[in-house]
Amino acid sequence: MKNIFIPILLLSFSFFYSQETKRKLVWEENFNGKNLNEANWNYELGNGCPSICGWGNDERQIYTKTNHKLKKGKLTITAKKEKEAYTSTRITTSGKKEFQYGRIETRAKLPVGKGIWPAFWMLGGNISKVGWPQCGEIDILEYVGKNPHLVYTSLHTQDSHGETINSKKTVFPEIEEGFHIFAVEWTKDKMEFFVDDKLVYTFQPEAKNESTWPFNQPFYIIINMAIGGNFGGPEVDDSIFPQEYVLDYVKVYQ
């Protein structure tokens, strides 16, 4: 028994070590300090007008610089119902931190209630040149309060015409409780999406071209909480506000 146990233990350790050493942490945001580091993050403000009113989805919120706070190493975005408008926060790493391939993950606690739509996602860095959906979109986390206990993971390409045909929704009965880890493993061949290390969706088209696979270029990260819209709405329960979307960190491994 002794002679068998030791080789198995060493083999297990060797496998674990080799798996862990395949990746290197290349960037992390731990939300330390009192303010967002604007060397890494951009604010996107307003209602999207005039270029993309309602942020392309008939969303009802106005994004501000005042609907978030950093405290004890966490970013908290607060959605509010104010006199004539809903307010929230949307930040991106466009032009500052863009990544091609790797594991991109966040640890987050979701808001709840009808009309809420928090997300952790990515867009192709070439969006200003080719537009959407040609630039590609990677939705690592989407949650809509009108459909509790579901996590959405999706990809948008020119081939899908924005109809979210490359998508999966997965039931997690306790997803609204506490923090959970949401991640994508992105290689030159495929995308794998995870929730708390559970594989929930794999995208690996046989034919890879500009229409099906715009994922061979750098992408930037977006964090936001939308309200209403084509996906989150149309109904919004005003009694739920304020609602908090809390992020512990963002990490990128390659």
Side-chain angles (χ1 to χ4, degrees), residues 104 120-122 138-142 152-153 182-184 193:
I104 298 94
F120 176 68
W121 53 301
M122 306 179 78
I138 306 168
D139 296 329
I140 304 168
L141 157 68
E142 287 186 291
Y152 294 82
T153 47
F182 306 91
V184 64
F193 293 86

Side-chain angles (χ1 to χ4, degrees), residues 3 98-99 102 114 118 144 152 177 185 197 199 211 221 225:
N3 291 335
E98 300 186 357
F99 306 95
K114 186 180 290 185
V144 288
Y152 294 82
E177 299 177 19
E185 300 261 4
D197 290 326
L199 177 63
S211 294
I221 295 168
M225 175 159 48

Side-chain angles (χ1 to χ4, degrees), residues 3-233:
N3 291 335
I4 296 174
F5 177 75
I6 292 175
I8 290 175
L9 181 62
L10 290 174
L11 181 61
S12 298
F13 176 78
S14 175
F15 174 77
F16 174 78
Y17 181 78
S18 65
Q19 291 295 100
E20 290 297 304
T21 54
K22 283 182 179 179
R23 299 191 198 93
K24 177 182 178 182
L25 180 65
V26 297
W27 184 68
E28 62 182 321
E29 171 62 86
N30 291 302
F31 302 113
N32 295 320
K34 295 182 179 180
N35 300 296
L36 280 173
N37 182 354
E38 293 192 45
N40 297 331
W41 297 100
N42 312 292
Y43 291 97
E44 293 194 325
L45 303 174
N47 62 1
C49 290
S51 59
I52 183 168
C53 292
W55 299 100
N57 299 292
D58 293 327
E59 297 165 27
R60 298 172 65 176
Q61 77 286 340
I62 294 172
Y63 288 124
T64 79
K65 284 189 174 183
T66 57
N67 280 70
H68 73 282
K69 64 182 179 181
L70 272 65
K71 187 176 181 180
K72 295 183 179 179
K74 292 181 175 60
L75 167 67
T76 300
I77 295 175
T78 303
K80 301 176 182 179
K81 173 66 170 72
E82 306 195 40
K83 290 181 181 179
E84 299 294 330
Y86 301 97
T87 58
S88 185
T89 292
R90 171 167 163 153
I91 57 174
T92 88
T93 64
S94 175
K96 296 178 177 179
K97 296 291 179 180
E98 300 186 357
F99 306 95
Q100 182 175 345
Y101 310 137
R103 177 183 172 94
I104 298 94
E105 71 173 39
T106 190
R107 180 174 181 264
K109 185 176 187 298
L110 300 174
V112 296
K114 186 180 290 185
I116 288 294
W117 178 9
F120 176 68
W121 53 301
M122 306 179 78
L123 283 173
N126 65 346
I127 188 171
S128 62
K129 296 179 180 179
V130 303
W132 184 94
Q134 287 85 349
C135 65
E137 178 177 327
I138 306 168
D139 296 329
I140 304 168
L141 157 68
E142 287 186 291
Y143 171 87
V144 288
K146 66 181 180 182
N147 296 326
H149 317 314
L150 291 178
V151 173
Y152 294 82
T153 47
S154 306
L155 292 157
H156 295 274
T157 67
Q158 186 176 3
D159 181 63
S160 73
H161 297 289
E163 295 297 330
T164 324
I165 61 173
N166 307 317
S167 183
K168 178 71 180 294
K169 57 183 179 182
T170 309
V171 176
F172 289 92
E174 299 179 356
I175 200 67
E176 292 87 1
E177 299 177 19
F179 284 84
H180 299 272
I181 295 174
F182 306 91
V184 64
E185 300 261 4
W186 169 22
T187 72
K188 64 181 181 63
D189 297 313
K190 63 182 177 179
M191 297 270 189
E192 294 181 322
F193 293 86
F194 296 84
V195 178
D196 292 330
D197 290 326
K198 176 184 176 180
L199 177 63
V200 295
Y201 178 54
T202 299
F203 179 67
Q204 190 173 13
E206 291 184 7
K208 290 184 173 64
N209 52 52
E210 290 183 356
S211 294
T212 64
W213 189 260
F215 308 113
N216 55 353
Q217 58 160 326
F219 274 59
Y220 62 87
I221 295 168
I222 306 169
I223 298 170
N224 73 293
M225 175 159 48
I227 300 166
N230 300 330
F231 191 41

